[in-house]
Amino acid sequence: MLIERAYVDLPEGAGAAEESWPWTVPCVRQLVEEGLAFRAPVTFLVGENGSGKSTLAEALAEGFGLDSYGGSAGYKYASSREVSPLGGRMRFDPTREGRAMVRAPRVRRRGFFLRAETALEALSGERATQRISRHPDEMSHGEGFLLAFRERFAQRGLYVLDEPEAALSFSSCLELVALMDDLGKSGAQVVCATHSPLLTALPGAEIVEVGEHGMRSVEWAELGLVDHWRRYLSDPRAYLRHVLAP
Ligand SMILES: Nc1ncnc2c1ncn2[C@@H]1O[C@H](COP(=O)(O)OP(=O)(O)OP(=O)(O)O)[C@@H](O)[C@H]1O
Ligand SMILES: [Mg+2]
């Protein structure tokens, strides 16, 4: 584990006064006011659509120096896109083991940012720099993701994943859980935004629920998404009768 806490470095009085995105998103407000403590090597961000998971994930990735287009730290940015105002102000309190990397210049930091919207472009970039062994065009959507996870999730670093389950089958998600667990145990750190009851069940992982309330730590068994899936699978009609025309 590399980072104990993330926080936003704002000049006195700034930020809270900002009335525009991303400062108005409740989880960002809380991040500005209190920071976000990490209690385990693997942290999941869960919450409704639009709650702020991607905003948070992206800021963490950018702040750490992972390419905001999706992809690796430690090589030049794939784009000239500027770092967002929030990402540019993210700071990290390292763990003892993380000090050397967190305090190193950006190019010496390691990790990977899987940004949902641009994941395939990022994988092409990884191929272009020989970081993965096959080109994503030669593989299915899910195969490309899995290959990148298998081949790139090796180094100690920060891995920020935004809904990695989107392309993956049940058994591939299980493989991803195992890869995340290995990363965490090997001294790396994972932050993963997800809607998946399967991924979030990883024992020992911390789950942060993002929403109108800001951010709070929750247990897997208490998650709304787990309860909904459990009830849906045992009786889909109980849900569908509310949404399907008679
Ligand atoms: N570039 C942007 N400019 C303005 N508002 C934005 C921008 N990106 C996101 N938002 C808004 O910020 C809020 C949080 O969005 P975000 O993408 O972080 O949600 P999310 O939790 O990742 O949702 P999902 O589960 O759908 O991926 C939403 O209200 C969204 O409309
Ligand atoms: Mg999102």
Side-chain angles (χ1 to χ4, degrees), residues 49-50 52-55 116-117 162-163 193 195:
N49 292 132
K53 301 179 299 296
S54 297
T55 304
E117 293 84 351
D162 196 355
E163 298 191 33
H195 294 289

Side-chain angles (χ1 to χ4, degrees), residues 24 49 51 53 59 84 102 154 162 205 212-213 231 240-241:
T24 47
N49 292 132
S51 56
K53 301 179 299 296
S84 71
V102 173
D162 196 355
E212 285 302 320
H213 56 274
R231 290 199 275 165
L240 293 176
R241 68 192 166 86

Side-chain angles (χ1 to χ4, degrees), residues 148-229:
F149 296 154
R150 283 190 197 125
E151 297 191 357
R152 291 286 285 103
F153 284 19
Q155 283 178 311
R156 214 164 134 260
L158 179 66
Y159 294 77
V160 180
L161 314 173
D162 196 355
E163 298 191 33
E165 74 270 21
L168 300 182
S169 68
F170 188 87
S171 57
S172 297
C173 278
L174 278 180
E175 183 174 337
L176 175 60
V177 169
L179 288 169
M180 287 184 183
D181 191 45
D182 286 347
L183 273 178
K185 286 177 174 151
S186 68
Q189 189 155 347
V190 181
V191 178
C192 174
T194 184
H195 294 289
S196 167
L198 188 161
L199 297 185
T200 43
L202 174 63
E206 156 130 56
I207 304 173
V208 175
E209 189 175 48
V210 176
E212 285 302 320
H213 56 274
M215 301 178 280
R216 65 180 165 223
S217 190
V218 285
E219 295 295 324
W220 181 81
E222 291 161 12
L223 278 179
L225 73 92
V226 171
D227 187 45
H228 283 308
W229 271 115

Side-chain angles (χ1 to χ4, degrees), residues 91-190:
R91 301 287 181 272
F92 303 99
D93 286 334
T95 58
R96 204 152 56 86
E97 314 83 74
R99 252 179 237 162
M101 188 182 301
V102 173
R103 292 184 183 160
R106 273 170 169 237
V107 290
R108 300 243 317 274
R109 295 192 189 159
R110 294 290 173 262
F112 186 78
F113 179 27
L114 182 86
R115 187 174 187 271
E117 293 84 351
T118 51
L120 284 177
E121 287 160 52
L123 294 183
S124 303
E126 296 289 292
R127 176 61 188 142
T129 51
Q130 307 288 316
R131 284 165 187 261
I132 57 174
S133 60
R134 282 177 67 193
H135 196 278
D137 287 351
E138 301 162 4
M139 293 175 283
S140 79
H141 192 190
E143 282 172 338
F145 275 45
L146 260 192
L147 180 84
F149 296 154
R150 283 190 197 125
E151 297 191 357
R152 291 286 285 103
F153 284 19
Q155 283 178 311
R156 214 164 134 260
L158 179 66
Y159 294 77
V160 180
L161 314 173
D162 196 355
E163 298 191 33
E165 74 270 21
L168 300 182
S169 68
F170 188 87
S171 57
S172 297
C173 278
L174 278 180
E175 183 174 337
L176 175 60
V177 169
L179 288 169
M180 287 184 183
D181 191 45
D182 286 347
L183 273 178
K185 286 177 174 151
S186 68
Q189 189 155 347
V190 181

